[in-house]
Amino acid sequence: MVSVTLDGLTKSFSRSGVVVDRMNLRIEEGEFFTLLGPSGCGKSTTLRMIAGFEEPDSGHILFNDRDVTYMPANRRDVGLVFQNYALFPHMSVAGNVAFGLTVRKIRGAVAEERIRQVLAQVHLTEQADARVDELSGGQQQRVALARALVYRPQLLLLDEPMSNLDAKLRLETRGALRNLHAETGITSIYVTHDQAEALAMSTRVAVMNTAEVHQVGTPADVYERPSTRFVATFLGRNNIFDGVVTEVAGDVVSVRLGDGSTIQGSASRTSPGLPLAPGNAVGVTIRAETIRPASQTDTQNVVSGTVTDVEYVGATLSCELETPIGAVLLDLIGAGIRPTLGDRLSVLLSAASIYFVTAEPAP
Ligand code: ADP
Ligand code: MG
């Protein structure tokens, strides 16, 4: 297995400008590492450079200590799975998987044994002789995986491999992929714009926006301790209110919001390096799932408003409140109340759930 180092990797296209900007990343041996970000932020371009389909303008790519920046793709020993599986529809499952070996001149009994093993790993043993176009989307996706894994590459690159699957299959495939990674231990780099996939599968995640990496960390790091305003709002359903710090008393930070009200949070819950001193502008975030109806005894951080939107999504009831501090999104889970449009509701924005990020940049 290999580690992968990206050192100052930069790529621009004449029409699009800089799409990957001085990227530095270190992916350790055996990791399941995910590049997560909105469409167009440069994820696929980064992956294509690692695969060898695209040359960077500057910077370097290392597999272990070996510089592979300009090495041809077919010599990099990398397995690829893309959104479009590019399978041969009329060929059998085994035939498609064998193709991954034939191009590397592995034939005969060795090839057969490899194919048998890899089909077992992706749970397609019984479908070995079926034609690919007779399989479900999820099974086809696993054929593509098997074909990428059969020659035992040192690195597996996956670019939105589940985007053609329906929601339920995506969930199942997520689990299958996680198990497969645990079994093979192969260093894997996964690209997705789907935060749930990234959080569920990865050892670490790099959150990207417009050609830049904003944060690298474990799923819990990026969700619970976002290092930028973008990361805070890109992941999950988050509320963000801009205000000015009025007081810092020990751990308690008071912030005056736009309507003149004061909200309090904890000084320990801030993006790294964010200066929290009186007079400083700050973004106050609070996740929708941490907000709950206020009780009689709650006094601080209580906001009241009118319910303007209710969405029933099974496990949660997603509501939007119109309040003096702005719209407040909240997800009620088993709260015992069922607000309806036009209801008045008071909610608690618990100080323990508030997280401070940088203020909105001046226009
Ligand atoms: P993502 O995978 O995150 O959606 P991409 O890496 O595919 O993003 O693309 C990043 C940006 O680079 C986009 O603006 C895209 O239009 C542009 N881009 C990608 N490939 C090319 C290309 N071959 N020529 C010109 N622009 C490109
Ligand atoms: Mg892409």
Side-chain angles (χ1 to χ4, degrees):
M1 297 305 145
V2 284
S3 63
V4 177
T5 305
L6 309 184
D7 178 15
L9 206 62
T10 298
K11 178 75 185 177
S12 51
F13 293 109
S14 50
R15 278 182 291 115
S16 319
V18 179
V19 303
V20 178
D21 195 7
R22 289 162 289 176
M23 189 187 284
N24 297 308
L25 278 180
R26 161 98 184 171
I27 294 136
E28 302 296 339
E29 247 179 77
E31 270 204 275
F32 194 106
F33 191 95
T34 297
L35 300 174
L36 170 68
S39 178
C41 73
K43 305 180 296 294
S44 293
T45 304
T46 305
L47 207 70
R48 290 171 58 77
M49 289 191 281
I50 299 172
F53 298 143
E54 206 79 76
E55 271 187 16
D57 302 337
S58 57
H60 293 273
I61 302 168
L62 279 74
F63 289 178
N64 292 332
D65 295 331
R66 184 151 184 225
D67 191 324
V68 300
T69 315
Y70 301 103
M71 182 188 279
N74 60 7
R75 290 184 41 215
R76 292 195 190 193
D77 194 16
V78 164
L80 302 164
V81 184
F82 291 127
Q83 178 176 340
N84 161 6
Y85 316 139
L87 298 172
F88 304 108
H90 307 306
M91 262 164 68
S92 71
V93 168
N96 269 276
V97 174
F99 184 75
L101 293 174
T102 316
V103 293
R104 283 170 185 80
K105 305 198 165 41
I106 303 170
R107 297 198 178 83
V110 177
E112 275 170 32
E113 177 56 17
R114 291 258 190 112
I115 293 165
R116 197 192 58 73
Q117 279 181 5
V118 79
L119 287 181
Q121 277 179 328
V122 299
H123 302 285
L124 284 174
T125 301
E126 283 170 18
Q127 285 80 17
D129 299 322
R131 274 167 52 147
V132 158
D133 57 6
E134 296 167 351
L135 302 182
S136 70
Q139 288 171 327
Q140 291 186 7
Q141 203 270 350
R142 283 183 277 142
V143 177
L145 249 179
R147 188 181 54 187
L149 287 171
V150 72
Y151 58 89
R152 299 181 185 162
Q154 54 179 346
L155 177 65
L156 184 61
L157 303 179
L158 308 109
D159 192 347
E160 314 247 5
M162 299 193 208
S163 46
N164 290 333
L165 306 182
D166 64 45
K168 187 157 181 291
L169 255 179
R170 272 211 296 272
L171 270 183
E172 284 172 24
T173 309
R174 211 154 94 179
L177 211 49
R178 200 169 44 210
N179 292 341
L180 192 68
H181 178 256
E183 233 172 85
T184 57
I186 184 171
T187 310
S188 306
I189 307 178
Y190 189 89
V191 158
T192 184
H193 65 275
D194 181 324
Q195 47 167 304
E197 271 178 22
L199 296 179
M201 295 199 297
S202 315
T203 50
R204 288 188 306 150
V205 180
V207 185
M208 292 180 66
N209 192 28
T210 49
E212 286 182 356
V213 172
H214 276 235
Q215 184 172 8
V216 181
T218 64
D221 284 337
V222 296
Y223 192 82
E224 294 168 24
R225 294 172 289 281
S227 65
T228 69
R229 188 179 174 101
F230 170 78
V231 176
T233 46
F234 184 69
L235 289 160
R237 289 223 315 153
N238 218 342
N239 293 282
I240 187 156
F241 309 103
D242 283 291
V244 174
V245 177
T246 53
E247 192 186 9
V248 182
D251 185 53
V252 181
V253 180
S254 300
V255 174
R256 191 175 60 246
L257 300 181
D259 68 330
S261 67
T262 294
I263 197 163
Q264 291 182 334
S266 158
S268 62
R269 293 180 48 78
T270 67
S271 293
L274 182 70
L276 281 180
N280 288 356
V282 71
V284 177
T285 72
I286 182 156
R287 294 203 174 276
E289 71 271 19
T290 67
I291 300 178
R292 58 171 180 78
S295 70
Q296 301 268 309
T297 52
D298 295 323
T299 50
Q300 183 59 49
N301 287 21
V302 174
V303 178
S304 303
T306 307
V307 177
T308 53
D309 195 26
V310 179
E311 201 177 62
Y312 175 76
V313 282
T316 62
L317 197 63
S318 295
C319 305
E320 188 173 327
L321 285 186
E322 194 49 53
T323 80
I325 66 169
V328 174
L329 303 176
L330 63 147
D331 291 337
L332 296 172
I333 305 167
I337 62 158
R338 280 284 183 96
T340 53
L341 285 185
D343 283 359
R344 291 287 298 174
L345 190 63
S346 289
V347 294
L348 176 68
L349 313 186
S350 159
S353 300
I354 280 172
Y355 192 90
F356 296 112
V357 298
T358 47
E360 177 99 273

